[in-house]
């Protein structure tokens, strides 16, 4: 359990809020806004709710948010607590860097670091949303928005109006195009991710893999142009494997089935334990990885509309922090809208949400992009220097293991989203809209 977290109080007025997209970000925002006393409708394009079959890491700031919105108990029931990060040499598997998590994150950040299957995570959020009265409309692909009336129209012609529209419609966001007035698509990074879930009971037959199952750690192998991430899920019964490699997908394809044979070929010179892992994969898909540039704006001058989550700041998964940024956006938005006193304040509070959140999510996007270079180095002087710094104890500012860099770690894990909302609100009430930037808040953690 985390140290006692702030609660969301009911706002003095009630708004009708439309949330577009029922992903992890949209569901968290819908719960927070409903707890703040608003009427929330989520519009989701899919015919049924769900998430891709893969694992996800939940860092301390998100765990705190889950506690505040009342979803933590169900998430904890389905989660695994990894003991430490272990970074292995790509050739022989030797551990080149570690970062403790248990008891470290509780001692230093008053919270857990969790691993969970995405479907279990999403399910916990949907359960909680239904409990707090959020209405979810499926098969509702938003295709058009009228800013002045905060009205959206779906592809099948249904019309929904509210006081506010919150766009959590993901990496291919339709609302982003409307807000900017042009298409600002995330760009291809040149990498793709294979994702697979292994049955741990099959791993236990192999002595070299049994030890991976025994202690739930997060294992990374960093090497030339690729890296591999492996961690246990679902009470140790399954194992999540993500394999990042150069993008070889055809131009217009974003997801495609992958094969064990191609993985064995790609990693034939790597730590042999990886081939043992790959041989237990029954099916895998490969996903093109995309990234974003900082957008000009997340809001629109003529309307009460904002985009958040991947719609506003898609990121490489190399810091495992994309969804956590979406949750932090949700918490700040809910924290501000739990204090709203009149409809005249809606637009200011959307701009304040952007101002409180944009500098941080931008830094996480940049930090994740920087990790690509750190993880994928070819052997040579730069890699030798990297590994020499990794071996330093205790790790110092600038450590290539970003989770072990004491300054960057504090930036990433020490964030308190609901406190940020409170601070922003207090400054707003004093009449000065906060101008937050990375420089004036976390100068020490500059990359
Ligand atoms: C390989 C990989 C590993 C990752 N690992 C981690 C990790 O360990 N930790 C972490 O924090 N993050 C991780 N991420 C990032 C994380 O998955 C995303 O940042 C997060 O899921 C984004 O959530 P979201 O709610 O903003 O968007 P999404 O989850 O994309 O949800 C968008 C929703 O909107 C719906 N939608 C889209 N268009 C419309 C429309 N026009 N109308 C209505 N509905 C619409 C979609 O159907 C979808 O349900 C990883 C990403 C990848 C690719």
């Amino acid at each position: 359990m985390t140290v006692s977290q702030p609660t969301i109080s009911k706002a003095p007025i009630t708004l009708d809020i439309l949330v577009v997209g029922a992903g992890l970000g949209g569901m968290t925002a819908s719960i927070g806004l409903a707890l703040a006393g608003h009427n929330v409708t989520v519009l989701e394009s899919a015919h049924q709710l769900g998430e891709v079959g893969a694992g996800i890491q939940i860092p301390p700031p998100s765990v705190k948010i889950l506690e505040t919105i009342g979803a933590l108990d169900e998430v904890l029931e389905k989660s695994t607590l990894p003991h430490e990060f272990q970074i292995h040499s790509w050739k022989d598997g030797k551990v080149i860097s570690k970062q403790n998590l248990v008891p470290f994150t509780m001692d230093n950040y008053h919270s857990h670091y969790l691993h969970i299957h995405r479907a279990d995570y999403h399910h916990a959020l949907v359960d909680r949303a239904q409990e707090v009265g959020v209405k979810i409309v499926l098969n509702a692909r938003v295709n058009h928005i009228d800013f002045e009336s905060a009205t959206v129209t779906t592809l099948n012609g249904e019309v929904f109006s509210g006081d506010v529209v919150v766009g959590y419609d993901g990496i291919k966001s339709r609302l982003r195009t409307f807000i900017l007035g042009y298409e600002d698509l995330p760009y291809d990074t040149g990498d793709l991710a294979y994702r697979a879930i292994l049955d741990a009971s099959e791993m236990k037959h192999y002595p070299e893999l049994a030890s991976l199952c025994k202690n739930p750690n997060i294992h990374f192998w960093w090497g030339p142009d690729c890296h591999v991430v492996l961690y246990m899920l679902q009470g140790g019964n399954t194992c999540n494997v993500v394999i990042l490699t150069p993008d070889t997908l055809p131009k217009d394809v974003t997801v495609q089935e992958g094969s064990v044979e191609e993985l064995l070929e790609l990693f034939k010179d790597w730590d042999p334990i990886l081939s043992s892992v790959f041989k237990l994969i029954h099916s895998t898909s490969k996903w093109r990885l995309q990234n974003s540039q900082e957008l000009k704006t997340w809001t629109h001058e003529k309307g009460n509309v904002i985009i958040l989550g991947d719609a506003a700041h898609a990121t490489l998964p190399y810091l495992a922090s994309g969804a956590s940024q979406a949750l932090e956006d949700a918490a700040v938005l809910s924290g501000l809208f739990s204090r709203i006193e009149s409809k005249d304040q809606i637009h200011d509070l959307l701009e304040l949400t952007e101002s409180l959140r944009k500098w941080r999510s931008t830094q996480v996007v940049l930090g994740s992009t920087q990790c690509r270079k750190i993880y994928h180095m070819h052997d040579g002087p730069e890699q030798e220097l990297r590994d020499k710094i990794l071996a330093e104890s205790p790790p110092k500012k600038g450590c290539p293991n970003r989770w072990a860099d004491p300054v960057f770690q504090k930036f990433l894990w020490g964030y308190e989203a609901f406190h940020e909302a409170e601070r922003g609100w207090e400054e707003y009430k004093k009449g000065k809209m906060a101008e937050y930037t990375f420089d004036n808040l976390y100068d020490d953690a500059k990359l």
Side-chain angles (χ1 to χ4, degrees), residues 149-164:
S149 60
T151 297
V152 297
T153 309
T154 66
L155 258 191
N156 43 24
E158 281 181 286
V159 177
F160 297 86
S161 288
D163 299 300
V164 190

Side-chain angles (χ1 to χ4, degrees), residues 341-399:
E341 298 151 332
S342 89
K343 288 191 179 183
D344 297 343
Q345 294 171 331
I346 295 176
H347 197 75
D348 285 351
L349 294 192
L350 294 178
E351 285 187 345
L352 185 55
T353 303
E354 175 179 338
S355 165
L356 287 165
R357 292 292 311 147
K358 198 151 172 264
W359 66 270
R360 177 168 166 84
S361 61
T362 299
Q363 202 58 31
V364 171
V365 172
L366 292 173
S368 304
T369 308
Q370 188 200 45
C371 286
R372 181 178 191 235
K373 187 162 175 264
I374 297 171
Y375 300 178
H376 293 180
M377 277 178 192
H378 285 238
D379 284 1
E382 217 183 351
Q383 164 267 330
E384 281 165 20
L385 178 64
R386 179 197 72 187
D387 292 0
K388 194 168 152 230
I389 302 173
L390 281 173
E392 283 173 1
S393 179
K396 298 193 196 66
K397 179 185 171 190
C399 175

Side-chain angles (χ1 to χ4, degrees), residues 20-27 43-46 50-51 55-59 62 113 118 122 140-143 168-175 193-195 231 242 244 287-289 308-311 313-317 319-326:
V20 181
L24 297 171
M27 291 317 302
L43 304 173
E44 165 58 46
S45 58
E51 262 284 337
I56 191 160
Q57 310 192 41
I58 314 181
S62 294
Y113 191 102
R118 280 172 182 261
H122 194 256
R141 176 173 290 279
V142 169
N143 190 42
Y168 264 108
D169 51 344
I171 196 159
K172 293 187 180 138
S173 172
R174 181 91 177 124
L175 289 182
Y194 288 80
R195 288 160 145 173
Y231 53 83
V242 189
L244 297 295
W287 306 66
R288 169 164 287 136
L289 293 180
L308 296 170
D310 271 14
H313 45 72
T315 177
L316 277 169
L319 281 173
S321 292
S324 67
Q325 290 311 296

Side-chain angles (χ1 to χ4, degrees), residues 396-398 404-412 442 444-446:
K396 298 193 196 66
K397 179 185 171 190
D405 173 336
V407 179
F408 191 78
Q409 178 197 82
K410 197 164 163 213
F411 155 73
L412 202 61
Y442 286 90
D444 261 6
K446 215 179 268 173

